Amino acid sequence: MIRRARSAYPLLLIAPSALLLGLFLVLPYLNIVVMSLRNPANGSPYAPGFTVGNYLRLATDTFYMQQVANTLLIGLFTTLVCLILGFPVAWQLSREKMRFRGLAYGLVLSPLLVGIVIRSYGWTILLGNNGIINKTLMNLGLIDRPIGLMYNVLGIVIALVHVFLPFMILPLMSALQGIDPSLKSAARSLGAGKLTVFTRVILPLAMPGIQAGCILVFVLSLSAYVTPALIGGLRVKTMAVSVVDALIDTFQWPFGSAMALTLSLTGAVIVVIFARLTRMKWKIS
């Protein structure tokens, strides 16, 4: 009896979390799956019966396929730029003798302290044709006419990098702090140069942080709505913006659900491929 009671303890501890996940994650996703198979209707969310026509419409319409490509492109570019910019910052924050560590932490976390709408409007002030950047360059005589920094992929990526850079830096910093400094000293004593130490010692040991940061930023970039809607406008539409338009503006719940599921599955497939290519090992104990 005592052994049975002890074996039931883990199940009792997991039960509250499993219940919350089932109610607020599994059931909503199942509802979206069922909704995506419903027949569309005019004046109501859906009509009786089921169909796969919503997915066929999405797969055969080049307009929506272009939106899928734009969304993936923005997600990949945002992740790559965040990794390039975030790794040096995480490396400096992980050093024990770094001065002004508290100020650096505050600067890294500062984008998270401001609402996403305010941040996006701030970028419109900076990137617009009459914005601060273009006006400054024109006043300096460096350009004759404004540079297109908004309503394109470039502007969306710039704004998303500012929003999601902390989600790349924090996992990287945690991984870099776990690297034993003696490993670098041992590699240098064996004749390895700085580049070899970085590529053969630091980079492999930092891979868990790189994986976590890249997955976080990529998934968040795919599902971002406010920033692409404000910075991209009507010229660059992502799947998240189209999903909201279909659900709220045009009242096409089945088609909007199909788009949302397609976006989720596409992102999940890319994450799994990335995990396989970087040799992420899932351990279940």
Side-chain angles (χ1 to χ4, degrees):
M1 295 295 295
I2 297 177
R3 291 181 178 179
R4 291 181 179 178
R6 290 180 178 178
S7 62
Y9 286 157
L11 297 177
L12 293 175
L13 294 175
I14 295 173
S17 299
L19 180 61
L20 289 175
L21 288 175
L23 290 176
F24 297 106
L25 182 64
V26 177
L27 287 181
Y29 261 100
L30 291 177
N31 186 33
I32 293 175
V33 172
V34 174
M35 182 62 67
S36 68
L37 298 174
R38 289 286 192 176
N39 284 312
N42 294 324
S44 61
Y46 58 88
F50 296 90
T51 180
V52 295
N54 299 310
Y55 292 99
L56 294 177
R57 175 187 171 188
L58 180 61
T60 56
D61 195 326
T62 56
F63 175 73
Y64 293 108
M65 287 295 98
Q66 183 63 44
Q67 291 184 22
V68 174
N70 289 338
T71 305
L72 295 178
L73 189 67
I74 290 171
L76 292 174
F77 280 164
T78 302
T79 303
L80 181 61
V81 175
C82 283
L83 179 59
I84 294 174
L85 297 179
F87 198 97
V89 177
W91 174 260
Q92 290 296 326
L93 288 174
S94 65
R95 299 179 64 178
E96 296 181 358
K97 298 181 180 180
M98 179 184 176
R99 299 178 62 184
F100 309 111
R101 184 185 298 273
L103 177 61
Y105 274 119
L107 292 175
V108 169
L109 297 176
S110 60
L112 303 179
L113 304 178
V114 182
I116 189 169
V117 176
I118 298 175
R119 289 197 300 261
S120 299
Y121 272 117
W123 279 110
T124 61
I125 296 174
L126 291 173
L127 302 176
N129 289 338
N130 295 321
I132 296 175
I133 296 177
N134 276 313
K135 281 189 175 181
T136 302
L137 293 177
M138 293 178 68
N139 291 334
L140 294 175
L142 299 177
I143 57 175
D144 297 328
R145 57 183 180 179
I147 302 174
L149 298 176
M150 275 189 63
Y151 309 119
N152 51 29
V153 173
L154 175 61
I156 296 175
V157 170
I158 291 174
L160 288 181
V161 167
H162 172 246
V163 175
F164 297 137
L165 190 58
F167 295 97
M168 179 67 73
I169 293 176
L170 296 178
L172 280 173
M173 184 182 63
S174 178
L176 291 172
Q177 285 177 338
I179 298 177
D180 190 347
S182 62
L183 296 176
K184 294 180 287 184
S185 301
R188 294 299 301 273
S189 66
L190 294 174
K194 292 184 178 180
L195 182 60
T196 303
V197 172
F198 176 78
T199 57
R200 301 293 296 274
V201 178
I202 296 176
L203 196 60
L205 294 176
M207 188 55 66
I210 295 174
Q211 292 169 336
C214 288
I215 291 173
L216 275 174
V217 173
F218 179 73
V219 172
L220 291 172
S221 300
L222 290 187
S223 59
Y225 168 72
V226 175
T227 299
L230 294 177
I231 305 298
L234 297 176
R235 297 184 183 179
V236 182
K237 294 194 70 174
T238 62
M239 284 295 289
V241 177
S242 295
V243 168
V244 175
D245 290 343
L247 295 177
I248 297 178
D249 295 340
T250 60
F251 212 54
Q252 301 179 31
W253 286 17
F255 187 59
S257 300
M259 287 194 293
L261 279 178
T262 301
L263 178 62
S264 300
L265 292 175
T266 304
V269 169
I270 294 178
V271 167
V272 171
I273 293 174
F274 172 75
R276 292 288 185 180
L277 292 177
T278 53
R279 298 180 182 179
M280 175 178 281
K281 297 181 180 180
W282 303 93
K283 296 182 179 180
I284 302 177
S285 57

